[in-house]
Amino acid sequence: MTDRDPDLSKLQAAFERCGVFAIERKPSEFTVKCVEDDIKKSTIDSVRICCSDSPICTFCLLWCRALGLGWAAKVGGTIIPTKMIVMRPVSDPEGPQIALVTQRRADNSLVDTVLFHVNALTGDDVREENPFVPRAALQGLDAVMGPLVDVFVLPNENRTIVMLDEYLQARLYPDTPSAQAEFESFVPSIHLGGAPRRSLPKL
């Protein structure tokens, strides 16, 4: 395809209507590191990374997953991305992984926080025990039963995600004994804005 190709114009127009995140690169410039860099910049609800890896292809869809509503599928709702976090770099033996923290706004007015954890190269659900079972939509973890106040990552090797609910209660991902111990060791040095020296409660 070329810039003058009418089919390319139609494809680009379709991408814009669907809110697809597309990056154009020359075949000689594209590397695996480009995927990680693009993911860090992306905050869309379904990750779509486009690259040029052949002389005749301007846009190649790497992967696409729909984000499931979970229990809200019965009443309807919307998934709103809040923050995307790189959990594992490209150099990791298990492959690059990302976590997408979202707010689920159900049509019955309930709001809660859902986390999706996927392989950045394949779109596979890292949490799925059997990733070979086909699923129509990616199902997330119901992390916080309510709206999210803040989210950050502990400066540790495990990249533990800390999510604060409206009562400033911390929810960890992954929620393991080692993650809880690491979080408690960081609590004295974590202070919230707004009120002077307002500290987090321990788990």
Side-chain angles (χ1 to χ4, degrees), residues 8-18:
L8 175 59
S9 298
K10 295 178 181 178
L11 182 60
Q12 290 174 327
F15 279 0
E16 291 177 0
R17 290 195 303 271
C18 297

Side-chain angles (χ1 to χ4, degrees), residues 95-133:
Q97 299 177 12
I98 59 171
L100 183 63
V101 182
T102 71
Q103 296 279 268
R104 177 175 55 203
R105 298 183 181 275
D107 289 348
N108 62 4
S109 77
L110 294 179
V111 178
D112 47 18
T113 303
V114 182
L115 183 144
F116 299 88
H117 189 179
V118 300
N119 182 303
L121 290 180
T122 64
D124 291 337
D125 187 352
V126 175
R127 299 174 50 252
E128 176 61 60
E129 295 181 358
N130 187 357
F132 300 103
V133 176

Side-chain angles (χ1 to χ4, degrees), residues 20-198:
V20 173
F21 176 57
I23 291 181
E24 185 175 358
R25 300 184 189 276
K26 295 180 180 179
S28 59
E29 297 176 351
F30 180 74
T31 64
V32 176
K33 186 177 183 301
C34 295
V35 176
E36 185 177 24
D37 291 341
D38 293 341
I39 288 171
K40 289 180 179 179
K41 300 174 184 177
S42 172
T43 56
I44 55 177
D45 57 345
S46 295
V47 181
R48 301 164 172 92
I49 306 298
C50 300
C51 60
S52 294
D53 58 359
S54 69
I56 60 173
C57 181
T58 302
F59 296 99
C60 296
L61 189 63
L62 186 59
W63 59 268
C64 175
R65 295 294 301 273
L67 302 182
L69 287 171
W71 65 264
K74 297 180 180 179
V75 298
T78 305
I79 296 289
I80 304 173
T82 300
K83 190 168 187 177
M84 183 178 287
I85 299 168
V86 177
M87 300 294 288
R88 297 286 185 272
V90 173
S91 58
D92 192 273
E94 296 182 2
Q97 299 177 12
I98 59 171
L100 183 63
V101 182
T102 71
Q103 296 279 268
R104 177 175 55 203
R105 298 183 181 275
D107 289 348
N108 62 4
S109 77
L110 294 179
V111 178
D112 47 18
T113 303
V114 182
L115 183 144
F116 299 88
H117 189 179
V118 300
N119 182 303
L121 290 180
T122 64
D124 291 337
D125 187 352
V126 175
R127 299 174 50 252
E128 176 61 60
E129 295 181 358
N130 187 357
F132 300 103
V133 176
R135 296 185 181 276
L138 188 67
Q139 298 302 319
L141 169 70
D142 289 350
V144 178
M145 298 297 103
L148 188 69
V149 172
D150 198 5
V151 57
F152 56 91
V153 180
L154 293 181
N156 59 3
E157 183 179 353
N158 294 327
R159 303 282 292 168
T160 302
I161 299 175
V162 181
M163 293 164 282
L164 300 182
D165 65 16
E166 56 189 329
Y167 304 106
L168 299 185
Q169 296 294 317
R171 300 293 183 269
L172 306 182
Y173 181 83
D175 190 2
T176 62
S178 61
Q180 293 179 9
E182 290 175 336
F183 172 72
E184 291 182 358
S185 68
F186 280 107
V187 165
S189 61
I190 299 176
H191 302 279
L192 302 179
R197 306 297 291 177
R198 190 181 184 187

